[in-house]
Structure formats: structure tokens, C-alpha cells
């Protein structure tokens, strides 16, 4: 239920938008039989649906991106974050680099 909540929020936002559009059509059809209210209610329902859905959709996308970042930055607990000796092929290259730094 709680896995992949970002995708579920995005689906909810899409559903929310279409419910607003359908509700606007129904309200417009019930209020006026000649079609004038449909012309008025449809743009209003589109705008309200878009405004309410864009916030939910953006939050869902934010959740997905944070989850991707968290998965990409995890590392084992016993590793050091920066180890300068890993940048050199041999211990001799590392020692030469250290000697060069001492001369500076």
C-alpha cells in the first residue's frame, strides 16, 4: 500500500482532473438545457481541475525523484566516503603524489 506512493499520487491527480471535468459537464447540463451553462461551467471546471491536480501531481513527482536520489546515493556502512588512495593505480603512485604535495 505504501510502496511507490509518488506514482499513486500522480494517478490520483489525473483522476481528480477528469472528475472535475465530468462534474463540470454534469452541472452545466443540469443548470441549463440550451447549452449556455455548459460553455460557462466547462472552462471553470477545467481551470479548477488543473489547479488542484497540478499540486498533487507535482508532489507525486517530487516523491518519485527523492526516492530515485535515495536509491542512487546509498552505500554500505563500512566504506569511507572519500579515500584518496582509490584514485591511484598503485601505492607507489600514491606515495609520489604525497611527496609532491609535501614539496609545495
Amino acid at each position: 500500500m505504501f510502496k511507490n506512493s509518488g506514482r499513486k499520487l500522480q494517478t490520483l491527480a489525473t483522476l481528480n482532473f477528469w472528475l472535475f471535468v465530468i462534474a463540470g459537464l454534469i452541472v452545466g447540463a443540469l443548470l441549463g438545457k440550451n447549452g449556455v451553462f455548459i460553455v460557462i461551467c466547462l472552462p471553470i471546471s477545467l481551470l479548477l481541475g488543473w489547479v488542484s491536480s497540478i499540486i498533487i501531481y507535482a508532489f507525486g513527482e517530487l516523491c518519485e525523484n527523492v526516492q530515485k536520489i535515495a536509491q542512487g546515493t546509498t552505500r554500505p556502512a563500512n566504506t569511507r566516503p572519500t579515500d584518496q588512495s582509490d584514485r591511484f593505480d598503485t601505492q607507489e603512485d600514491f606515495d609520489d603524489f604525497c611527496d609532491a604535495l609535501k614539496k609545495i
Side-chain angles (χ1 to χ4, degrees), residues 1-80:
M1 178 174 159
F2 298 108
K3 300 282 183 185
N4 200 6
S5 59
R7 176 58 58 193
K8 291 176 186 171
L9 283 172
Q10 290 173 339
T11 304
L12 177 69
T14 304
L15 179 67
N16 182 47
F17 173 76
W18 287 112
L19 287 176
F20 264 92
V21 171
I22 292 169
L25 288 172
I26 292 171
V27 168
L30 290 176
L31 289 179
K33 299 194 179 16
N34 59 2
V36 174
F37 283 105
I38 292 177
V39 174
I40 294 171
C41 289
L42 187 59
I44 292 172
S45 67
L46 284 171
L47 181 66
L48 290 175
W50 179 75
V51 168
S52 64
S53 297
I54 194 82
I55 296 167
I56 299 170
Y57 193 89
F59 187 71
E61 192 170 354
L62 178 69
C63 291
E64 274 191 343
N65 290 340
V66 166
Q67 185 179 10
K68 288 177 186 176
I69 291 170
Q71 288 172 350
T73 58
T74 56
R75 58 181 166 80
N78 60 354
T79 61
R80 293 183 289 178

